[in-house]
Amino acid sequence: MRKKLSREKKNREITIPTDSFSDIAFLLIIYFLVATTLVKVKSITADLPAGEKSTTAQSDKTPTVNLRGSEIFFNDKGLTLEALNERLAALELATLEPEKRVVMLESAAGTPYQNYFQALAAISANGGVVALVENEKK
Amino acid sequence: MKRLPQRKKRRPVVIPIASMGDIAFLLIIFFLVCSETSKERSDLQVTLPLSEHVRKNEVSVVARISIDNAGAIYFDGAQVDGPKDVEWGVRALLTSTVSDEQRHVQFNCDASLPKENFEPVLQAIAAAGGIIEAVGKESN
């Protein structure tokens, strides 16, 4: 009897149940599809020159945007954001050579990022290259 | 002659489903390889600035820098001490880049923060050679 049992054990086939594998795989796909969120943020592109700090003053012709609190100045003349957009569009910066596209962006202490962002967006959207003006630390 | 149509009717229609599992697993592998896990922290308290000029960002970014409403700076989700850490971090990531397309750095900042908080970080990104992708909301 013992011999018979051992023989039967040896002959027994081991099978791995693979019938439900495709179901599991499709469930995983559905999980990935449901759990995935496709995030596409909205942004503005600003390529600020990484150049060395210049101690010499820029030429008078370089357009300058100045932010003082909530006020915007373009070449020392106060204006609204819409007017700034118009003035920058009139310069047709995108058609100029890269070195002539520079627009200086100067801001007073405490200027909120909202105002800064709008000025940065206006300059970039009109083809300008933003150069940040840093006040000298005493 | 009349037997022919009867034979046609009896022919069984078999849908091959043996390879369905393989196809499904291939699809899973495709999703795993193509998906990118978000390196950005979702719990940051940031109110985005508004502008009419914002566009959908189509480029891939090498790093994500955020400044929350308390002024804390985050580099790819991890808090850093200051702008110098941002500069070195971006610089390290850009060492292996070859084209301008690989220089984009996402910048996320709270709209109410003053210049003293965000400008050094912008300058740090620029100094490291990154092109800033400043995130904002579209204003109506």
Side-chain angles (χ1 to χ4, degrees):
Chain A
M1 279 295 282
R2 276 186 182 177
K3 276 184 180 178
K4 260 192 176 180
L5 270 171
S6 62
R7 272 180 199 170
E8 274 177 13
K9 269 185 182 176
K10 277 178 185 175
N11 293 336
R12 207 177 288 163
E13 280 180 26
I14 300 161
T15 51
I16 300 162
T18 55
D19 298 343
S20 58
F21 265 36
S22 59
D23 303 328
I24 296 163
F26 275 111
L27 277 173
L28 277 168
I29 290 171
I30 292 159
Y31 167 75
F32 277 117
L33 287 171
V34 172
T36 307
T37 48
L38 302 167
V39 181
K40 282 246 169 169
V41 292
K42 287 183 175 180
S43 64
I44 53 148
T45 307
D47 190 4
L48 308 182
E52 305 82 38
K53 286 174 186 172
S54 172
T55 50
T56 53
Q58 285 282 320
S59 72
D60 292 338
K61 286 180 183 176
T62 309
T64 306
V65 177
N66 205 315
L67 303 171
R68 292 173 205 159
S70 59
E71 291 177 305
I72 304 168
F73 294 85
F74 184 70
N75 292 337
D76 289 329
K77 284 175 187 170
L79 73 182
T80 61
L81 187 69
E82 289 75 32
L84 175 70
N85 271 312
E86 286 167 16
R87 293 288 295 275
L88 288 167
L91 292 173
E92 295 180 337
L93 294 162
T95 59
L96 302 174
E97 291 166 36
E99 60 267 23
K100 288 178 182 173
R101 286 186 204 167
V102 176
V103 177
M104 312 282 281
L105 179 60
E106 196 174 3
S107 53
T111 304
Y113 183 62
Q114 173 61 54
N115 298 3
Y116 201 92
F117 182 81
Q118 285 180 329
L120 201 67
I123 297 166
S124 298
N126 289 295
V129 175
V130 184
L132 300 180
V133 178
E134 198 180 1
N135 295 327
E136 274 182 54
K137 286 171 189 170
K138 286 178 183 176
Chain B
M1 286 298 281
K2 282 179 182 176
R3 277 182 183 177
L4 267 172
Q6 275 182 346
R7 272 182 192 174
K8 270 187 183 174
K9 275 180 187 173
R10 279 175 194 171
R11 202 176 290 166
V13 180
V14 183
I15 303 162
I17 52 162
S19 59
M20 289 286 256
D22 304 328
I23 296 162
F25 274 110
L26 278 173
L27 277 168
I28 290 170
I29 293 160
F30 169 76
F31 278 118
L32 284 171
V33 171
C34 291
S35 61
E36 189 188 350
T37 52
S38 179
K39 289 174 185 171
E40 209 170 12
R41 278 176 66 153
S42 55
D43 58 337
L44 289 181
Q45 299 290 315
V46 176
T47 309
L48 293 174
L50 302 169
S51 175
E52 59 184 289
H53 297 294
V54 290
R55 297 282 174 270
K56 265 187 182 173
N57 187 5
E58 300 292 342
V59 293
S60 58
V61 291
V62 287
R64 291 164 181 85
I65 288 132
S66 306
I67 310 177
D68 68 4
N69 58 6
I73 304 165
Y74 296 86
F75 187 98
D76 276 343
Q79 194 170 350
V80 291
D81 294 330
K84 248 327 179 217
D85 292 329
V86 172
E87 187 183 334
W88 288 112
V90 175
R91 209 180 274 274
L93 288 169
L94 295 182
T95 48
S96 57
T97 57
V98 285
S99 69
D100 277 357
E101 289 300 305
Q102 297 168 305
R103 290 201 293 128
H104 293 264
V105 176
Q106 188 178 298
F107 181 70
N108 214 351
C109 180
D110 191 272
S112 62
L113 279 181
K115 176 198 170 176
E116 290 73 19
N117 286 89
F118 63 82
E119 204 178 56
V121 181
L122 287 176
Q123 284 171 340
I125 299 167
I131 298 170
I132 295 159
E133 291 290 336
V135 180
K137 262 187 188 175
E138 196 168 7
S139 61
N140 297 321

